[in-house]
Amino acid sequence: MSRKKVIAGNWKMNKTPSETSIFITELSDRVKQTKDIVICAVPYVCLTAALKSAKRTKIKIAAQNLHFEDNGAFTGEVSTDMLTDLGVKYVIVGHSERRQYYNETDATVNKKILKALKAGLKPILCVGESLDQREMGVTSDFVRYQVRYALNGVSSEDMKNVIIAYEPIWAIGTGKTATNEQANDVCKTIRETLVELYGRRVANAALIQYGGSVNVKNANELFNMSDIDGGLVGGASLKIDDFDKIVNYNK
Ligand code: 13P
């Protein structure tokens, strides 16, 4: 079956609101022809600028995190109501950097996925193994576990709004990309996990991205693999010419 591709830039802690406006305006010109879904996940303080510049363009705007409670004494956190009130439609959940540096656990990832879906936000769920886990040969088991845990309580109907990003931790920001086959194999494993959870129809329709040192040179081959439906791009999404080429990978 043919699925759409979704190409998302995860800016992480980069760019100011002013830089955001310039970048999104420039990018909107360069993505006019694409049939794929193009998303920029910007820092919270850049959301307003990004949404303004992305209005009436092909670009969708994502937040990089959310809190699973409605409101309360959680200094520094941001709720779903705050995001949806701005007009945000997508949100990254469970990025490995949040799992590593900010105590994000499988349990909080699950709570955030459920909260995002309830609020009408489309989560981009990140999963992926460490180098140790790959070398121990537990990649497949580990990623299956992460996916099952994160999606606990998510209905088949809601799966239409979930994007999964397979991001091996050892490939993030290291310049070491997974080979096309390694990346595709794990994306396939994720799809098989979805078959077990939701059946073939839902699994075949699910969008599963690869992330980890995606660049201008490897995007085309990666995105043309059977089970890879686009990419979650870090470093290369910050440079307009590179991200333009990645989004237009098939030209
Ligand atoms: P890099 O593309 O910089 O390796 O980052 C990948 C990533 O973490 C995207 O979420």
Side-chain angles (χ1 to χ4, degrees):
M1 87 174 280
S2 84
R3 286 178 293 268
K4 270 198 174 226
K5 303 277 180 204
V6 50
I7 298 157
N10 174 10
W11 289 8
K12 309 190 179 183
M13 195 175 73
N14 291 288
K15 295 196 192 294
T16 62
S18 316
E19 289 166 343
T20 300
S21 303
I22 296 167
F23 188 97
I24 301 283
T25 304
E26 175 70 45
L27 182 66
S28 64
D29 246 15
R30 304 188 189 204
V31 299
K32 281 192 176 136
Q33 306 301 329
T34 184
K35 297 196 167 54
D36 300 329
I37 302 166
V38 179
I39 303 173
C40 290
V42 308
Y44 283 141
V45 295
C46 301
L47 283 170
T48 303
L51 286 160
K52 191 164 171 233
S53 305
K55 226 178 201 158
R56 287 182 288 278
T57 76
K58 287 252 165 80
I59 306 167
K60 312 274 186 233
I61 302 301
Q64 299 175 7
N65 185 30
L66 77 163
H67 200 280
F68 51 80
E69 294 290 351
D70 289 334
N71 49 42
F74 301 103
T75 303
E77 291 294 319
V78 166
S79 73
T80 49
D81 280 356
M82 296 172 192
L83 295 176
T84 53
D85 188 65
L86 281 182
V88 174
K89 295 283 186 315
Y90 292 83
V91 61
I92 296 178
V93 177
H95 192 279
S96 62
E97 285 150 16
R98 297 217 57 91
R99 294 180 192 251
Q100 188 179 352
Y101 305 129
Y102 302 101
N103 277 337
E104 193 84 273
T105 64
D106 291 308
T108 56
V109 169
N110 176 240
K111 282 187 186 177
K112 289 181 179 190
I113 292 282
L114 294 172
K115 188 75 192 175
L117 288 168
K118 199 163 168 220
L121 287 164
K122 298 181 184 206
I124 302 176
L125 162 66
C126 300
V127 295
E129 82 288 3
S130 65
L131 186 58
D132 275 358
Q133 288 164 329
R134 175 155 288 266
E135 286 173 349
M136 271 191 273
V138 299
T139 297
S140 183
D141 289 341
F142 181 72
V143 170
R144 272 173 184 278
Y145 170 85
Q146 279 187 316
V147 169
R148 281 182 164 272
Y149 207 133
L151 297 180
N152 187 28
V154 174
S155 67
S156 317
E157 191 55 28
D158 273 340
M159 279 308 293
K160 284 194 198 114
N161 294 321
V162 176
I163 296 168
I164 300 181
Y166 165 54
E167 297 207 310
I169 296 169
W170 50 271
I172 296 177
T174 57
K176 269 192 224 157
T177 322
T179 63
N180 301 332
E181 289 70 29
Q182 280 174 329
N184 198 52
D185 277 354
V186 182
C187 290
K188 211 177 247 174
T189 300
I190 293 171
R191 205 174 298 285
E192 285 307 316
T193 311
L194 298 180
V195 172
E196 291 156 20
L197 293 171
Y198 300 103
R200 183 69 60 191
R201 192 180 51 83
V202 170
N204 280 347
L207 297 180
I208 305 176
Q209 303 173 297
Y210 167 77
S213 297
V214 173
N215 60 39
V216 172
K217 291 205 179 89
N218 59 27
N220 186 298
E221 282 193 5
L222 282 164
F223 299 173
N224 275 303
M225 298 300 286
S226 65
D227 282 274
I228 301 180
D229 308 314
L232 184 54
V233 187
S237 76
L238 298 169
K239 300 178 212 133
I240 188 78
D241 290 336
D242 285 14
F243 197 53
D244 171 356
K245 290 197 184 99
I246 292 171
V247 169
N248 294 299
Y249 67 96
N250 54 359
K251 287 225 175 103

